[in-house]
Amino acid sequence: MDLYMMNCELLATCSALGYLEGGTYHKEPDCLESVKDLIRYLRHEDDTRDVRQQLGAAQILQSDLLPILTQHRQDKPLFDAVIRLMVNLTQPALLCFGSVPKDPSVRHHFLQVLTYLQAYKEAFASEKAFGVLSETLYELLQLGWEDRQEEDNLLIERILLLVRNILHVPANPEQEKRIDDDASVHDRLLWAIHLSGMDDLLLFLSSSSAEQQWSLHVLEIVSLMFRDQNPEQLAGVGQGRLAQERSTDVAELEVLRQREMAEKRARALQRGNRHSRFGGSYIVQGLKSIGERDVVFHKGLHNLQNYSSDLGKQPRRVPKRRQAAQELSVHRRSVLNVRLFLRDFCSEFLENCYNPLMGAVKDHLLRERAQQHDETYYMWAMAFFMAFNRAAAFRPSFVSETLSVRTFHFVEQNLTNYYEMMLTDRKEAASWARRMHLALKAYQELLATVNEMDACPDEAVRESSRIIKNNIFYMMEYRELFLALFRKFDERYHPRSFLRDLVETTHLFLKMLERFCRNRGNLMVQNKRKKRKKKKKVQDQGVAFSHSPEELEALWPALEEQLLQCAQDPELSVDTIVPFDAASEVPVEEQRVEAMVKIQDCLRTGQAPQALALLRSAREVWPEGNVFGSPVISPGEEMQLLKQILSAPLPRQQEPVEGDAEEEEEEEEEEELQVVQVSEKEFSFLDYLKRFACSTIVRAYALLLRSYRQNSAHTNHCITKMLHRLAHDLGMEALLFQLSLFCLFNQLLSDPAAAAYKELVTFAKYIIGKFFALAAVNQKAFVELLFWKNTAVVREMTQGYGSLDSGSSSHRAPAWSPEEEAQLQELYLAHKDVEGQDVVETILAHLKVVPRTRKQVINHLVRMGLADSVKDFQRKGTQIVLWTEDQELELQRLFEEFRDSDDVLGRIMKNITAKRSRARVVDKLLALGLVSERRQLYKKRRKKPAPSCTQNGAESQKDSWQDDPEEEEHLSEGESEDEESEDGLSAGQVQGGSSLSAKNLGQSLRQEGLSAPLLWLQSSLIRAANDREEDGCSQAIPLVPLTEENEEAMENEQFQHLLRKLGIRPPSSGQETFWRIPAKLSSTQLRKVAASLSQRENEEEREEEPEPNPGQQRPREQSPREQSPREQSPREQSPREQSPREQSPREQSPREQSPREQHRAGALRALLSARKRKAGLVSAEEAAPGEEDWKSVPKKRQLLDSDEEDDNEGDRQAAVSGTPRIHKKKRIQIEDDDEDD
């Protein structure tokens, strides 16, 4: 669509509004509907704002809407609709487009809309339009809150928004071409507001407590009214020219006159007595050209001083992203009558409206009832009106609402937030920098007002100022603010005015702080330090306790007597003893080890009652596993348990080590926690000033000093004072020895108007004199001019190079001698390839001449080129990320080895070579497909059988195998091995319950009448083994119960526990229904598992049969299918928990039998031989062939419980002495030669 040709529908709608004849506007009958249609069109305009541009080009607002507004005010519906349309049309261009467009085509539309808005602003600069708005607003405000309707509130808000939109339109200086003291469009608009009485209504809205809902609108309008004004100049309007202003003007005129006279003298010296037509060519000796010859100069000698090698060269283009930020706010002096009106408005606003309005706005901001970034208007009003109050007649009571420590905190928080957002939000960095400048101005005026209060004759005001300063100077955040702002100063985003205000505010803060410290003898301030605290780690057991076993044995008798007395004391209460820390971040379930340590500490310090009370209280908190004893424990067992706790090597936690900062830096590679420590210290002004002695801050001051001609006298004084503090007060003149700064001093000294900058000239001469005095001693000072310097370089320049290494500063490490470097290289090359040890710790143990830290050794190894990076020496254990192929194979082997134990993950963590966190191991097990879900790795906890149940065998066995409810253990990355320590403690020191193996479970199940399901299970396992031998491949086989009896058995908890013991996998949640024989079980393993179910039956059967002679042939063994359930009973087993693999029978493999028959026959022959030896029916010689046959059996790849060696020796001794032999299990590992088959 061509924007210069109006759309036909839009044209028809505008034509139906009416027409202007003479000075009277005649509206059409459909005028109201046409206005509503225009509102509807604006609602559906495109991204180029085509409707808005066409209405602006047709001047609808100037020719139709304004006449309707002024002449048809009585038609309330039409008046409301016209106000709505005007608010939409005058909407700021930034709100229409979101931001200033970067695309040239879209930017053209943006500038076009802005041009139409400027025309609207000029059209509104009349008393008639604002008179109608003021009268309407006055009538609406006369209504009480009970009589005011919702439409009335909407109309009030739209009128305020219309005034805001008109004032928000920026000026166009190129088109207006107005100078100071001339009436611009904005001045005429302000004068129309004054004549219409709108300013009085704004004052009423600001001061009325019943109209606080409009406070943000009013504050925004007021800020736009004073947008181009200077508060100090506005405060002096109408009082005549002050003596200070006259002296300033005279000084400026004198500078201009001196420069003009210098230019005249220079031109006079350039002209000779007579004109020479020959310009001449000259050779400049000592200045080489491109070649080896001297430069030839083809101009007159009077132009030689302006010679530069850059003449004729094209200047280097600076990229847009690196260009300095431009000044956006321009102050101008309005016409006199407007300034008088604004001065009176400010005075009345301060006296009656400032405190209530700022309080209401602050309440809206804190309650988040304002729009985004509305706090910028609050900070602008604070800076402007507090400056006006300070420049006019200073009255602290007028600005008491914003004169508090809370206001300082509010401004400081916003200022910090703005510069943090400027660093993170790079696209909107310029906007954040402008908000940052507003906050800095507010902070500057707060400090200036507090400083002005010190000179107030009222004692109460001075006391208030002292309290505020005491709070500000005490808090660390306010002192650190200026250092942070200087470090974050970026010329690309911050204009030069921001740097000027920052320098002036810093000067004021330092002056107030110095005076405050001078009046006080010693000033205590808050100090916050981020302390790096090591994570608590388990100590070595050899260091955990300092008592020897002999000392503990000697200590126990006295403790036992006290404990027996306390146990018999009925007044001993455990209600007041809490064995855990409820405020700790560690869950209560994981604090059992700490409770055990507390009990041990109480015992070792002789606090017997506390130890007994802690034990009983911990027993109530953690009853599971009987770690602290069973609920029905006897006094004797309780004493024995306390004795075991007394001498147990419990894992303890280190306390955080404080003090030596060098030791903290030494362990940087370890994981650390940062804790902010708040303390108090005595403040030293010079120490605080030393923090400004850095190249970043000096460079910012030098940047502002370049524009010394445009700076005010106060700004130049602030720069000179800070540089003088650094150079003279701190004795760091060398900090300013920089070539760019010296070029600036040269320009200053050669300035014809240098007399106007006496302070700067004196300081420049002082610095240059110090430099040449140093250069006479240190010839390298001329080279140092090329670089910005820090305090360390300054010290070396002035005190001699190498003074830092040989100085007396204790925090500096001594230099490495050639002998030490040779020893370090020899030790590193000798121990770098040794596995299982830390090479740095080994080097530290051998370095005896000069004590070194770990960090010093690592850094010097890197500096010598022996190591590539500091990261090569990180402590092992937590930094391993990638798994090698060998490590994956090792993990698979460990899983296969411990998969049937109660704590699979714990055993893997103990035996794995490359130590990793539990979470990493779990993730790898899931990735390899060894487990399908994390719950399969949860530790299985067992209950200890109660003493009362031991008489009943069935109940005892049933209780002994039942697991506790499954606990949800979080296998997080940072999980420690405390749980394993607890389990070890409960197993070794506290009488824990024993668990039975699969054979005992089978016996218990047969007693309950589940023999048929056991036989079905056994046959299923053998069928699966046969199928895997025939097919040669393995896959998970489901166990499908076809009979009702088998189905009920699969739902029995004991039967399910037996399945788990045998390695049969339960169904996955939500995906499977039946239990499955895993694909990882080989045919041999399946036969062993099946044989374990029938082994006890075979033993009982052999006991009933007479023993055959050695020469007789053995009868045929029954297959598992032929054996009845009555004949099957599991073999007796030790209390030690065994996995199904540990319960497999021994095998023999005669050549004439099939593999299946060989397996069964070998197992039965081994059992028969063992039974004979136990009964004493055969001698050791007769048993030897059985042993030889046993040794000839192929190796298997699982763990077996062997009685062989101990039984042989025990039987021989029993045969001689005639005493019964107690058989002990001995675990041996039998490897499988055919593991891959």
Side-chain angles (χ1 to χ4, degrees):
M1 180 194 300
D2 190 0
L3 297 178
Y4 297 100
M5 296 181 62
M6 184 175 289
N7 182 273
C8 57
E9 295 182 1
L10 199 59
L11 179 60
T13 305
C14 295
S15 301
L17 290 173
Y19 60 93
L20 185 65
E21 186 178 3
T24 306
Y25 189 85
H26 301 277
K27 64 175 183 176
E28 295 290 344
D30 297 333
C31 182
L32 178 59
E33 298 300 328
S34 299
V35 172
K36 292 181 179 180
D37 289 340
L38 291 177
I39 296 174
R40 192 177 301 110
Y41 290 148
L42 285 171
R43 190 181 304 154
H44 299 287
E45 62 183 351
D46 59 7
D47 294 338
T48 62
R49 304 295 181 254
D50 53 342
V51 177
R52 195 177 304 271
Q53 293 190 51
Q54 293 181 36
L55 293 179
Q59 298 185 355
I60 295 299
L61 187 139
Q62 297 93 320
S63 59
D64 293 282
L65 298 183
L66 275 178
I68 294 175
L69 181 73
T70 55
Q71 298 181 20
H72 297 278
R73 177 171 167 261
Q74 296 78 13
D75 191 350
K76 191 175 186 308
L78 180 60
F79 183 82
D80 293 349
V82 169
I83 292 292
R84 285 181 58 194
L85 182 57
M86 283 184 167
V87 170
N88 199 336
L89 279 177
T90 58
Q91 188 177 6
L94 284 174
L95 292 180
C96 295
F97 290 88
S99 61
V100 179
K102 296 182 179 179
D103 186 24
S105 60
V106 184
R107 189 180 181 88
H108 167 72
H109 297 300
F110 174 83
L111 296 176
Q112 195 66 37
V113 171
L114 190 60
T115 304
Y116 296 140
L117 288 175
Q118 291 169 351
Y120 296 159
K121 183 175 183 178
E122 188 173 0
F124 263 96
S126 64
E127 181 185 354
K128 187 181 296 185
F130 273 99
V132 173
L133 295 177
S134 301
E135 291 177 6
T136 306
L137 184 60
Y138 176 77
E139 293 174 359
L140 293 173
L141 294 177
Q142 288 296 318
L143 300 175
W145 65 270
E146 66 277 358
D147 298 330
R148 196 179 297 174
Q149 302 297 324
E150 184 65 26
E151 293 80 5
D152 299 331
N153 287 329
L154 286 175
L155 187 56
I156 292 175
E157 185 175 10
R158 286 167 183 161
I159 291 175
L160 294 176
L161 286 176
L162 179 60
V163 176
R164 190 280 309 266
N165 291 345
I166 295 300
L167 289 170
H168 188 275
V169 178
N172 189 0
E174 290 80 5
Q175 184 177 0
E176 294 185 21
K177 298 179 180 178
R178 302 288 182 177
I179 61 174
D180 287 349
D181 296 323
D182 195 3
S184 63
V185 175
H186 194 75
D187 292 340
R188 290 190 282 125
L189 193 65
L190 293 177
W191 190 246
I193 290 175
H194 173 58
L195 294 179
S196 64
M198 180 68 74
D199 55 338
D200 297 328
L201 294 176
L202 294 175
L203 292 173
F204 169 75
L205 290 173
S206 303
S207 59
S208 176
S209 59
E211 307 293 345
Q212 288 186 356
Q213 56 181 327
W214 318 115
S215 56
L216 283 169
H217 293 290
V218 174
L219 185 62
E220 191 173 359
I221 291 173
V222 171
S223 66
L224 293 172
M225 288 173 59
F226 293 90
R227 180 169 53 189
D228 300 333
Q229 305 299 323
N230 190 321
E232 288 85 0
Q233 294 179 359
L234 204 59
V237 173
Q239 300 177 0
R241 290 174 57 81
L242 301 177
Q244 184 179 1
E245 293 182 356
R246 288 196 297 269
S247 62
T248 303
D249 293 342
V250 169
E252 291 179 357
L253 289 174
E254 181 64 23
V255 168
L256 294 175
R257 191 184 68 85
Q258 290 177 0
R259 286 177 180 160
E260 185 179 3
M261 294 297 296
E263 291 177 359
K264 287 182 178 180
R265 287 195 298 270
R267 286 196 298 269
L269 291 175
Q270 290 177 4
R271 290 196 298 267
N273 293 331
R274 68 181 185 84
H275 176 68
S276 175
R277 295 183 179 276
F278 177 70
S281 296
Y282 304 91
I283 294 177
V284 183
Q285 293 183 355
L287 185 61
K288 299 295 183 182
S289 61
I290 298 177
E292 295 296 329
R293 299 181 180 181
D294 294 334
V295 172
V296 179
F297 188 67
H298 296 283
K299 294 184 178 180
L301 290 176
H302 57 275
N303 293 323
L304 182 60
Q305 61 180 358
N306 296 328
Y307 173 77
S308 173
S309 300
D310 296 330
L311 291 176
K313 295 180 181 179
Q314 185 177 2
R316 185 176 182 181
R317 178 180 173 273
V318 180
K320 188 175 182 180
R321 64 178 182 275
R322 296 182 182 177
Q323 292 178 0
Q326 301 296 324
E327 296 286 348
L328 296 178
S329 58
V330 179
H331 294 288
R332 66 175 301 275
R333 195 164 54 241
S334 301
V335 69
L336 181 60
N337 56 351
V338 174
R339 283 187 287 155
L340 290 172
F341 149 63
L342 294 177
R343 185 203 61 185
D344 297 339
F345 183 89
C346 280
S347 300
E348 192 170 353
F349 184 86
L350 276 172
E351 186 175 357
N352 302 316
C353 308
Y354 180 82
N355 288 332
L357 180 65
M358 298 298 281
V361 172
K362 183 69 173 295
D363 183 69
H364 287 326
L365 294 175
L366 295 179
R367 296 177 184 271
E368 297 183 355
R369 291 186 294 185
Q371 295 182 0
Q372 195 176 12
H373 307 312
D374 276 349
E375 72 276 359
T376 55
Y377 296 107
Y378 177 82
M379 287 184 285
W380 173 90
M382 187 191 310
F384 186 89
F385 288 106
M386 292 183 79
F388 182 88
N389 179 53
R390 185 170 47 84
F394 182 66
R395 299 282 296 275
S397 59
F398 286 174
V399 292
S400 59
E401 176 63 33
T402 56
L403 203 57
S404 62
V405 179
R406 290 193 302 271
T407 309
F408 272 95
H409 177 71
F410 177 79
V411 176
E412 187 268 337
Q413 287 293 316
N414 281 279
L415 187 56
T416 305
N417 179 55
Y418 290 154
Y419 84 73
E420 288 178 353
M421 290 302 299
M422 187 192 69
L423 297 178
T424 55
D425 189 5
R426 288 295 185 182
K427 292 184 178 180
E428 298 294 332
S431 301
W432 291 111
R434 288 194 294 270
R435 299 184 188 106
M436 189 175 168
H437 193 185
L438 280 174
L440 179 62
K441 287 290 294 182
Y443 197 82
Q444 180 184 11
E445 285 305 323
L446 283 172
L447 288 175
T449 303
V450 173
N451 186 46
E452 194 73 22
M453 292 169 63
D454 288 338
C456 188
D458 191 357
E459 178 63 27
V461 175
R462 294 200 301 272
E463 180 65 18
S464 299
S465 171
R466 188 190 65 79
I467 293 174
I468 293 175
K469 288 191 296 184
N470 199 7
N471 283 276
I472 295 171
F473 298 148
Y474 176 79
M475 298 298 294
M476 183 179 179
E477 288 80 6
Y478 301 112
R479 302 194 306 272
E480 297 291 325
L481 179 63
F482 299 102
L483 293 167
L485 292 179
F486 270 116
R487 293 192 185 103
K488 302 302 180 183
F489 173 75
D490 195 338
E491 193 179 3
R492 298 172 299 170
Y493 306 117
H494 295 116
R496 197 64 58 89
S497 58
F498 174 85
L499 182 59
R500 181 183 65 248
D501 290 332
L502 179 58
V503 167
E504 293 179 359
T505 309
T506 305
H507 171 78
L508 177 60
F509 184 82
L510 289 176
K511 183 174 70 174
M512 294 171 61
L513 182 58
E514 185 179 19
R515 190 187 308 125
F516 192 78
C517 294
R518 190 184 301 119
N519 296 335
R520 302 277 296 270
N522 54 347
L523 177 64
M524 301 300 295
V525 296
Q526 184 189 67
N527 182 39
K528 292 183 180 180
R529 184 171 65 91
K530 286 186 178 180
K531 179 180 176 298
R532 293 185 298 181
K533 184 174 67 174
K534 301 290 186 306
K535 292 190 70 174
K536 295 181 180 180
K537 54 185 179 181
V538 178
Q539 278 187 336
D540 185 32
Q541 292 184 355
V543 190
F545 51 92
S546 58
H547 297 80
S548 63
E550 293 77 10
E551 294 176 352
L552 296 176
E553 287 292 337
L555 183 64
W556 174 246
L559 280 175
E560 186 178 13
E561 183 178 355
Q562 297 181 18
L563 289 170
L564 289 174
Q565 294 178 0
C566 296
Q568 298 173 1
D569 187 5
E571 298 182 357
L572 183 65
S573 175
V574 297
D575 297 337
T576 58
I577 303 297
V578 181
F580 59 88
D581 185 6
S584 175
E585 297 180 358
V586 181
V588 177
E589 292 77 9
E590 301 178 10
Q591 296 188 32
R592 286 183 292 183
V593 175
E594 297 180 6
M596 195 74 74
V597 171
K598 291 179 182 178
I599 297 173
Q600 189 182 71
D601 292 341
C602 291
L603 289 173
R604 294 183 178 182
T605 55
Q607 302 176 4
Q610 290 85 345
L612 186 59
L614 270 174
L615 178 67
R616 294 179 176 179
S617 179
R619 187 183 305 147
E620 295 179 0
V621 175
W622 298 288
E624 61 273 2
N626 295 331
V627 176
F628 297 95
S630 64
V632 293
I633 190 172
S634 62
E637 293 176 346
E638 196 171 38
M639 293 301 108
Q640 189 65 24
L641 176 59
L642 287 171
K643 183 178 180 181
Q644 293 176 358
I645 294 176
L646 176 65
S647 58
L650 298 179
R652 294 174 176 266
Q653 291 180 338
Q654 280 186 339
E655 296 296 329
V657 182
E658 300 180 0
D660 195 4
E662 189 73 24
E663 289 297 325
E664 291 182 359
E665 294 179 358
E666 180 181 346
E667 304 293 339
E668 282 183 350
E669 64 274 9
E670 294 185 359
E671 187 175 1
E672 298 169 345
L673 300 175
Q674 284 192 345
V675 179
V676 178
Q677 285 188 342
V678 180
S679 59
E680 285 189 347
K681 69 174 184 179
E682 187 173 354
F683 181 75
S684 173
F685 180 77
L686 285 180
D687 291 342
Y688 177 67
L689 193 61
K690 288 177 183 177
R691 305 192 61 186
F692 288 88
C694 63
S695 60
T696 306
I697 297 179
V698 175
R699 196 177 304 177
Y701 274 87
L703 178 64
L704 186 60
L705 188 59
R706 292 179 191 172
S707 57
Y708 70 93
R709 294 182 179 180
Q710 291 79 29
N711 295 339
S712 63
H714 177 65
T715 303
N716 287 333
H717 167 72
C718 295
I719 299 172
T720 310
K721 182 64 177 177
M722 172 56 81
L723 297 180
H724 182 265
R725 288 180 189 273
L726 299 178
H728 181 267
D729 297 350
L730 298 181
M732 294 186 182
E733 299 90 353
L735 195 65
L736 305 179
F737 295 166
Q738 218 281 332
L739 192 59
S740 61
L741 203 55
F742 277 24
C743 292
L744 187 59
F745 288 162
N746 180 45
Q747 180 183 352
L748 175 65
L749 295 175
S750 60
D751 194 338
Y757 311 105
K758 293 181 180 180
E759 195 175 29
L760 275 175
V761 170
T762 304
F763 178 74
K765 292 179 178 179
Y766 167 77
I767 294 297
I768 294 174
K770 287 290 184 180
F771 171 75
F772 284 109
L774 178 64
V777 180
N778 182 11
Q779 294 294 329
K780 297 179 181 178
F782 294 99
V783 182
E784 296 284 2
L785 279 176
L786 302 174
F787 310 100
W788 292 100
K789 290 162 280 294
N790 54 21
T791 53
V793 178
V794 167
R795 180 179 174 184
E796 286 192 332
M797 284 182 62
T798 54
Q799 299 181 9
Y801 295 98
S803 59
L804 292 180
D805 296 334
S806 60
S808 61
S809 59
S810 59
H811 67 279
R812 288 281 179 175
W816 290 76
S817 63
E819 294 78 9
E820 288 179 321
E821 289 185 347
Q823 183 186 9
L824 178 64
Q825 183 175 2
E826 181 181 356
L827 289 173
Y828 176 74
L829 295 177
H831 298 280
K832 68 174 183 177
D833 297 327
V834 179
E835 296 184 358
Q837 72 175 9
D838 190 351
V839 61
V840 180
E841 295 295 339
T842 306
I843 293 175
L844 289 173
H846 289 79
L847 289 177
K848 302 295 184 182
V849 181
V850 179
R852 302 285 182 180
T853 64
R854 180 183 179 89
K855 183 179 179 181
Q856 293 171 0
V857 171
I858 293 174
N859 289 338
H860 204 70
L861 286 173
V862 175
R863 193 176 298 115
M864 291 175 64
L866 298 176
D868 296 332
S869 173
V870 178
K871 297 181 179 179
D872 297 343
F873 300 97
Q874 290 182 348
R875 295 188 185 272
K876 298 180 180 179
T878 60
Q879 300 297 327
I880 303 176
V881 179
L882 299 178
W883 290 75
T884 63
E885 185 177 356
D886 295 339
Q887 292 170 353
E888 291 181 355
L889 293 176
E890 181 192 17
L891 181 62
Q892 293 179 8
R893 181 181 60 79
L894 291 175
F895 178 77
E896 293 292 340
E897 183 176 342
F898 302 116
R899 64 180 301 166
D900 297 316
S901 64
D902 284 344
D903 188 10
V904 182
L905 186 60
R907 292 178 179 271
I908 291 176
M909 295 297 297
K910 286 182 180 179
N911 292 276
I912 195 168
T913 304
K915 299 300 180 182
R916 284 180 169 85
S917 64
R918 299 172 73 92
R920 293 286 179 266
V921 174
V922 172
D923 293 340
K924 195 61 181 177
L925 288 173
L926 291 171
L928 294 174
L930 299 177
V931 292
S932 59
E933 52 186 2
R934 293 176 183 268
R935 59 186 300 177
Q936 298 178 14
L937 300 173
Y938 293 162
K939 183 183 295 184
K940 305 178 182 65
R941 303 191 182 276
R942 308 189 175 280
K943 290 184 178 178
K944 178 182 177 182
S948 60
C949 299
T950 56
Q951 297 176 359
N952 189 342
E955 292 183 4
S956 175
Q957 291 179 0
K958 182 177 179 180
D959 293 340
S960 65
W961 69 263
Q962 285 180 345
D963 290 336
D964 286 343
E966 218 170 12
E967 296 182 5
E968 294 292 333
E969 300 181 17
H970 298 284
L971 302 174
S972 60
E973 183 175 353
E975 187 177 356
S976 64
E977 301 295 335
D978 293 345
E979 194 175 80
E980 299 174 5
S981 303
E982 297 170 17
D983 296 337
L985 180 65
S986 63
Q989 301 164 1
V990 186
Q991 298 174 358
S994 62
S995 58
L996 300 179
S997 65
K999 300 176 183 178
N1000 304 74
L1001 295 177
Q1003 180 183 5
S1004 176
L1005 290 172
R1006 288 188 181 91
Q1007 293 176 0
E1008 293 185 4
L1010 296 178
S1011 300
L1014 285 174
L1015 185 60
W1016 164 74
L1017 175 61
Q1018 186 181 25
S1019 61
S1020 299
L1021 292 174
I1022 295 176
R1023 259 198 321 269
N1026 294 335
D1027 294 341
R1028 291 185 179 180
E1029 280 185 354
E1030 295 174 1
D1031 299 340
C1033 60
S1034 300
Q1035 60 181 356
I1037 302 175
L1039 290 174
V1040 183
L1042 300 178
T1043 64
E1044 185 177 355
E1045 185 179 8
N1046 293 343
E1047 188 175 353
E1048 291 177 355
M1050 295 297 291
E1051 297 176 357
N1052 189 302
E1053 292 184 0
Q1054 293 188 44
F1055 199 85
Q1056 290 180 359
H1057 187 66
L1058 174 64
L1059 294 177
R1060 289 192 182 92
K1061 280 290 185 182
L1062 298 178
I1064 298 176
R1065 181 166 57 83
S1068 300
S1069 57
Q1071 296 181 357
E1072 298 175 353
T1073 305
F1074 304 106
W1075 290 68
R1076 295 176 183 268
I1077 302 174
K1080 297 168 186 164
L1081 293 179
S1082 64
S1083 59
T1084 306
Q1085 293 173 338
L1086 290 175
R1087 287 196 175 92
K1088 290 178 183 178
V1089 171
S1092 66
L1093 295 176
S1094 61
Q1095 184 173 349
R1096 184 56 181 264
E1097 178 185 356
N1098 295 335
E1099 292 181 7
E1100 293 179 355
E1101 182 181 351
R1102 296 293 180 260
E1103 288 178 358
E1104 296 176 359
E1105 295 179 0
E1107 293 294 335
N1109 295 329
Q1112 294 178 350
Q1113 187 177 359
R1114 297 180 56 86
R1116 185 178 63 89
E1117 293 85 357
Q1118 289 180 325
S1119 66
R1121 298 179 184 268
E1122 298 172 349
Q1123 297 173 356
S1124 63
R1126 291 189 305 273
E1127 297 172 347
Q1128 297 176 354
S1129 62
R1131 184 169 55 94
E1132 291 293 332
Q1133 182 180 344
S1134 66
R1136 183 174 179 177
E1137 182 182 341
Q1138 298 179 1
S1139 65
R1141 301 184 182 190
E1142 296 167 353
Q1143 301 157 2
S1144 60
R1146 301 178 180 90
E1147 302 178 13
Q1148 285 185 345
S1149 55
R1151 298 177 182 176
E1152 65 274 6
Q1153 294 179 343
S1154 65
R1156 179 177 174 185
E1157 295 298 330
Q1158 290 174 6
H1159 169 74
R1160 296 290 299 141
L1164 294 177
R1165 279 195 294 272
L1167 290 172
L1168 182 59
S1169 176
R1171 180 66 65 180
K1172 287 179 181 181
R1173 289 197 302 272
K1174 292 177 183 177
L1177 297 178
V1178 282
S1179 62
E1181 290 79 4
E1182 294 174 344
E1187 295 178 8
E1188 292 176 0
D1189 295 340
W1190 165 243
K1191 293 179 182 178
S1192 64
V1193 175
K1195 298 180 181 179
K1196 299 298 172 184
R1197 61 165 178 236
Q1198 55 188 11
L1199 296 178
L1200 300 178
D1201 289 335
S1202 175
D1203 302 328
E1204 182 178 359
E1205 297 177 4
D1206 292 343
D1207 287 348
N1208 292 340
E1209 296 178 3
D1211 291 341
R1212 294 188 183 97
Q1213 294 175 4
V1216 175
S1217 62
T1219 57
R1221 168 66 176 154
I1222 300 176
H1223 296 274
K1224 296 183 180 179
K1225 295 287 183 180
K1226 180 180 179 183
R1227 176 166 296 184
I1228 61 174
Q1229 184 173 4
I1230 301 179
E1231 299 178 355
D1232 194 353
D1233 293 335
D1234 305 326
E1235 185 175 355
D1236 298 332
D1237 296 340

